[in-house]
Amino acid sequence: PERVESLAGSGLATIPKEYIRPESERDNLGDAFDEAMKLNSSGPQVPVVDLSGFDSPDEAVRAKCVEELKKAAEDWGVMHIVNHRIPLELIDRVREVGKGFFDLPVEQKEKYANDQASGEIQGYGSKLANNESGKLEWEDYYFHLIFPEEKTNLSLWPKEPKHYIEVTKEFAKELRVVVTKMLSMLSQGLGLELGKLEKELGGMEDLLMQMKINYYPKCPQPELALGVEAHTDVSSLTFLLTNMVPGLQLYYGGKWVIAQCVPDSLLVHIGDTLEILSNGRYRSILHRSLVNKERVRISWAVFCEPPKETIVLKPLPELVTEAAPAKFPPRTFKQHIQHKL
């Protein structure tokens, strides 16, 4: 497919019809900066959870932190986390090398193009029209597995800019620590032992972390396009880092709400897998990405996924009762993805 970056750079005043969303999808669709401005004056805000409380020696402080995370996971299914302990200098470097890759000429990026037709989704790509409406998304991306390190294929990682690999490896290791902390807190929030959710998702050996760098070029008609169409994440958790340009929109309280940008935070989604294990107590929220006329938006999404076939996902027995029967049938992660598609 033609890269969206090339389309956007061609000076076009109107977008091709393949990118124009159906009328039914245009509720609260508009320029991301305009939508963010509206939210600043009124409307619900994505909760912010300070993880430092979980490290406190005070049991009451730890319990309060777990309760705040649990409430956000049940009500929104998404939250900003602050004091996550990933060095902010490292996060700046992640932004720098990701932007550095997308700053390369398209011809250089094409050396890393994926081959979706053959099932190879790792690499540089653009959305194919495989959805019900046949519409395309206003984004290019780079997708690859970043953890566990022994399962990664460095031949599929960008060689430019030169520090991309070392920075991304370091970020993956730091983020994996946060994954364990989040899953421990969410386990405790369900009244389970701390390591329960992580064990059910494959543990340190088999829980995969896949990174997708989303590149959303400026769009001349943001009221007609979407960066990414409405979906819930199939993952257990998704961690999102951005270049502080707004765009993420969540379907909350029966309407679309744009997420504010919170400095020094990571935004975390509860994915389908945790919704299943928690028997629906934790929420996998519908979300999409807006675009804008003024600035390129880049986001780094890291999807934490269980192994595709070796674990059967179903509501945990401890959370199934006569009053709360199982809401989801047993499926492997692969079967869940196929069912969803």
Side-chain angles (χ1 to χ4, degrees):
E2 183 171 8
R3 302 305 178 194
V4 180
E5 178 188 357
S6 300
L7 265 179
S10 68
L12 78 177
T14 57
I15 61 175
K17 65 181 189 306
E18 306 88 66
Y19 293 90
I20 297 177
R21 307 308 300 187
E23 194 76 45
S24 60
E25 292 185 36
R26 295 191 210 163
D27 179 34
N28 286 104
L29 199 58
D31 188 289
F33 282 108
D34 293 341
E35 294 302 314
M37 193 74 73
K38 290 179 200 170
L39 178 69
N40 285 339
S41 54
S42 64
Q45 303 270 348
V46 174
V48 178
V49 178
D50 185 341
L51 294 192
S52 63
F54 192 64
D55 299 318
S56 170
D58 186 325
E59 192 175 331
V61 174
R62 290 199 306 275
K64 181 173 182 286
C65 184
V66 168
E67 185 60 32
E68 286 176 4
L69 183 65
K70 173 190 169 186
K71 186 179 178 199
E74 291 177 339
D75 182 27
W76 279 82
V78 65
M79 68 289 297
H80 297 281
I81 58 168
V82 295
N83 291 319
H84 41 69
R85 295 201 165 184
I86 300 178
L88 299 180
E89 171 268 336
L90 174 58
I91 286 177
D92 285 342
R93 285 161 62 211
V94 170
R95 290 187 175 114
E96 184 184 328
V97 295
K99 179 180 181 296
F101 173 78
F102 279 98
D103 282 346
L104 296 173
V106 171
E107 305 73 50
Q108 277 180 260
K109 294 195 282 276
E110 289 294 355
K111 292 189 291 186
Y112 303 98
N114 60 15
D115 183 6
Q116 296 176 59
S118 71
E120 181 50 80
I121 58 173
Q122 292 196 72
Y124 174 58
S126 303
K127 178 71 181 278
L128 300 178
N130 57 2
N131 49 10
E132 189 181 356
S133 67
K135 297 300 182 183
L136 296 172
E137 297 171 337
W138 195 262
E139 68 146 356
D140 301 322
Y141 64 82
Y142 203 103
F143 182 84
H144 62 99
L145 175 69
I146 63 170
F147 197 93
E149 190 170 330
E150 64 272 14
K151 295 185 180 181
T152 60
N153 182 352
L154 292 184
S155 71
L156 299 172
W157 291 35
K159 309 299 181 290
E160 304 164 85
K162 68 177 182 177
H163 297 301
Y164 181 93
I165 291 176
E166 104 189 35
V167 169
T168 304
K169 276 185 177 182
E170 189 180 344
F171 177 64
K173 287 175 186 170
E174 293 279 354
L175 183 59
R176 188 62 184 81
V177 175
V178 182
V179 173
T180 290
K181 180 180 284 191
M182 290 287 291
L183 290 174
S184 297
M185 294 173 71
L186 290 165
S187 291
Q188 194 171 327
L190 294 170
L192 306 169
E193 60 189 62
L194 286 181
K196 181 67 173 178
L197 287 176
E198 181 157 359
K199 181 182 173 187
E200 293 290 331
L201 294 166
M204 189 63 77
E205 298 77 26
D206 291 324
L207 180 65
L208 303 179
M209 289 167 49
Q210 315 253 25
M211 184 159 78
K212 182 177 177 227
I213 309 177
N214 302 292
Y215 183 86
Y216 306 103
K218 292 182 278 189
C219 180
Q221 293 179 297
E223 70 283 358
L224 298 179
L226 278 171
V228 173
E229 65 191 359
H231 66 288
T232 61
D233 287 350
V234 295
S235 61
S236 53
L237 292 172
T238 302
F239 291 80
L240 193 74
L241 170 68
T242 74
N243 64 340
M244 297 299 286
V245 174
L248 175 66
Q249 209 179 33
L250 308 144
Y251 196 70
Y252 179 79
K255 62 182 180 181
W256 287 104
V257 175
I258 198 162
Q260 72 275 37
C261 293
V262 175
D264 303 336
S265 75
L266 295 173
L267 190 133
V268 187
H269 285 280
I270 300 293
D272 296 352
T273 307
L274 277 190
E275 184 173 74
I276 292 167
L277 292 178
S278 71
N279 200 25
R281 284 172 59 175
Y282 293 152
R283 181 183 178 198
S284 182
I285 193 169
L286 192 68
H287 57 283
R288 65 187 187 182
S289 295
L290 302 185
V291 289
N292 73 84
K293 290 181 179 179
E294 303 299 324
R295 289 184 60 190
V296 169
R297 178 172 183 255
I298 308 177
S299 69
W300 290 255
V302 178
F303 306 101
C304 302
E305 301 178 353
K308 280 198 161 60
E309 299 187 52
T310 56
I311 292 174
V312 176
L313 300 168
K314 60 183 179 180
L316 296 173
E318 300 94 323
L319 306 177
V320 177
T321 63
E322 197 173 317
K327 295 182 177 181
F328 307 95
R331 290 191 179 110
T332 63
F333 186 54
K334 182 177 181 180
Q335 287 169 333
H336 172 68
I337 294 170
Q338 289 169 337
H339 169 76
K340 192 159 186 175
L341 290 175

